[in-house]
Amino acid sequence: MLKFTRTKHVGIERPAKDKIIAHGFLDDYIYSMELDVEFSLPHYEITKIDGRMKRYTTPECPRANEILQNAVGMRIEPGLAEKVKKQIGRAGCRHYATLLLECCYAVISASIGFARADLEAEGLPADDDAVRRRLLVMLPSIRNRCMMYAEEGPLANRLFG
Amino acid sequence: MVLCHTRTKTASVLPIADDKLRVLNRIEDTFFSACVEIEVTLPDLEVISAKGKFERCFTDECKAAESLLQKAVGLRVGSGLTKLVDSLLAGAQGCPIVATLVFEACDAVILSLTAEQMAMADALDEQQRQDGFLQMVQMNPRLLNSCIAFDENGPLLKGKL
């Protein structure tokens, strides 16, 4: 018999070329909560955030809803995880922090699709390498974030020579 | 509005012996599908095995990240884990998806133990629960100031420690 399960789900909409909305949901044996996060492009900056706790442990936990406003102005860039853990997690709720980071990581992944869509809309080639090049322009912070986008890695050599 | 991207993650903790837990953490994202499985001993919380698979990814070379998992063997679930996982599995020689899946799997172990404690607290009245939270902080000082509920100047703990 399972002892514990945690599920996180993020759905992403792009209502305008310069706006992304992430809806995050976290549910486990102890906690259940939701976040709505708006990002503006091109800086991937959080412009709006709202959260609801449905299941929590102490009567103090819902006070963390107000603390979420600390996230407004944060950008997807190096140092984000530390900021979120401190300003949303320690100051408010670490499970909100976990869910907010999941929303941000999902936005990074979704940007692969945005890069392709933008290239197609501009009438430019949208093969996989063209998408990767555009992604690095949209989100320069992913450079060196993993072995594939390492400056000295095989992919960077192929993309940039 | 139609979603343009989704990401779902599920971490499940299964006892496989009196002294051993197996954790499966899976990500299903528009561009990535992967899973990580670790086994952790009780009560010392040491990771004794780690394996995983990238089933689908935007860049085929990402599958090389599967081999990183061996570095997780020997880790102990406890303080300092975030930095250890980051240094071993993330960064320009690593993979943030694998690192996060491993960290979440370890976090699920802790949460599964917390869920056991919280289940016992369900039978208590409000005062007894508050006393229980105080006891938790006294037994685990790392909880102090770890979130808004355990703020040393908050309603739950002020003047009680």
Side-chain angles (χ1 to χ4, degrees), chain B residues 129-141:
Chain B
R129 279 171 68 88
Q130 289 205 10
D131 292 345
F133 290 127
L134 185 59
Q135 219 171 22
M136 272 171 74
V137 175
Q138 284 167 335
M139 286 169 64
N140 185 0

Side-chain angles (χ1 to χ4, degrees), chain A residues 8-160:
Chain A
K8 287 184 278 181
H9 177 79
V10 182
I12 293 180
E13 301 165 23
R14 193 187 190 192
K17 198 170 182 293
D18 60 353
K19 185 165 150 185
I20 301 169
I21 301 174
H23 302 283
F25 176 59
L26 178 152
D27 194 60
D28 67 28
Y29 280 29
I30 311 170
Y31 304 96
S32 185
M33 56 193 69
E34 291 179 5
L35 284 180
D36 300 318
V37 193
E38 262 185 42
F39 296 82
S40 72
L41 298 182
H43 297 300
Y44 286 85
E45 182 170 311
I46 296 173
T47 51
K48 198 173 167 189
I49 185 165
D50 184 33
R52 293 162 296 285
M53 285 193 177
K54 299 185 165 194
R55 195 148 34 78
Y56 42 89
T57 51
T58 81
E60 300 308 310
C61 297
R63 288 172 53 219
N65 289 345
E66 300 159 30
I67 305 294
L68 287 171
Q69 297 314 311
N70 290 349
V72 174
M74 287 185 189
R75 292 180 177 186
I76 297 179
E77 60 187 5
L80 174 73
E82 291 72 23
K83 267 189 206 168
V84 169
K85 282 175 190 171
K86 189 174 176 192
Q87 295 179 34
I88 303 296
R90 291 185 79 83
C93 167
R94 84 177 184 95
H95 308 286
Y96 263 154
T98 298
L99 185 57
L100 177 55
L101 285 175
E102 197 63 62
C103 289
C104 294
Y105 297 151
V107 164
I108 293 175
S109 180
S111 295
I112 298 171
F114 303 153
R116 190 186 301 280
D118 291 354
L119 286 167
E120 284 170 354
E122 293 161 24
L124 295 168
D127 57 90
D128 286 354
D129 276 354
V131 169
R132 291 181 186 109
R133 279 191 204 95
R134 176 59 66 95
L135 187 62
L136 283 163
V137 171
M138 291 168 74
L139 274 166
S141 61
I142 65 169
R143 201 175 281 243
N144 282 327
R145 191 168 176 262
C146 71
M147 57 170 80
M148 282 308 108
Y149 290 108
E151 265 166 19
E152 303 301 322
L155 187 63
N157 285 337
R158 192 173 81 221
L159 295 180
F160 303 110

Side-chain angles (χ1 to χ4, degrees), chain B residues 107-147:
Chain B
D107 198 33
V109 170
I110 298 291
L111 287 164
S112 73
L113 302 174
T114 309
E116 275 178 3
Q117 285 183 313
M118 297 312 301
M120 287 189 276
D122 279 348
L124 305 176
D125 64 33
E126 201 46 48
Q127 186 56 49
Q128 288 171 320
R129 279 171 68 88
Q130 289 205 10
D131 292 345
F133 290 127
L134 185 59
Q135 219 171 22
M136 272 171 74
V137 175
Q138 284 167 335
M139 286 169 64
N140 185 0
R142 286 180 57 237
L143 287 175
L144 190 62
N145 295 319
S146 64
C147 67

Side-chain angles (χ1 to χ4, degrees), chain B residues 2-72:
Chain B
V2 176
L3 290 180
C4 57
H5 188 91
T6 65
R7 163 175 290 209
T8 304
K9 276 179 165 174
T10 304
S12 306
V13 181
L14 179 73
I16 52 171
D18 287 345
D19 60 352
K20 209 185 289 180
L21 300 173
R22 180 180 293 149
V23 189
L24 184 69
N25 194 15
R26 166 168 283 283
I27 177 172
E28 200 65 47
D29 169 293
T30 304
F31 292 105
F32 298 93
S33 174
C35 66
V36 159
E37 184 184 298
I38 62 168
E39 287 184 5
V40 175
T41 55
L42 295 171
D44 47 339
L45 304 182
E46 184 182 339
V47 177
I48 54 165
S49 82
K51 58 184 179 181
K53 196 163 176 53
F54 259 101
E55 286 144 357
R56 184 166 45 79
C57 32
F58 178 61
T59 303
D60 272 347
E61 291 95 323
C62 289
K63 291 180 179 169
E66 289 170 9
S67 63
L68 291 169
L69 281 164
Q70 277 315 301
K71 294 184 180 179

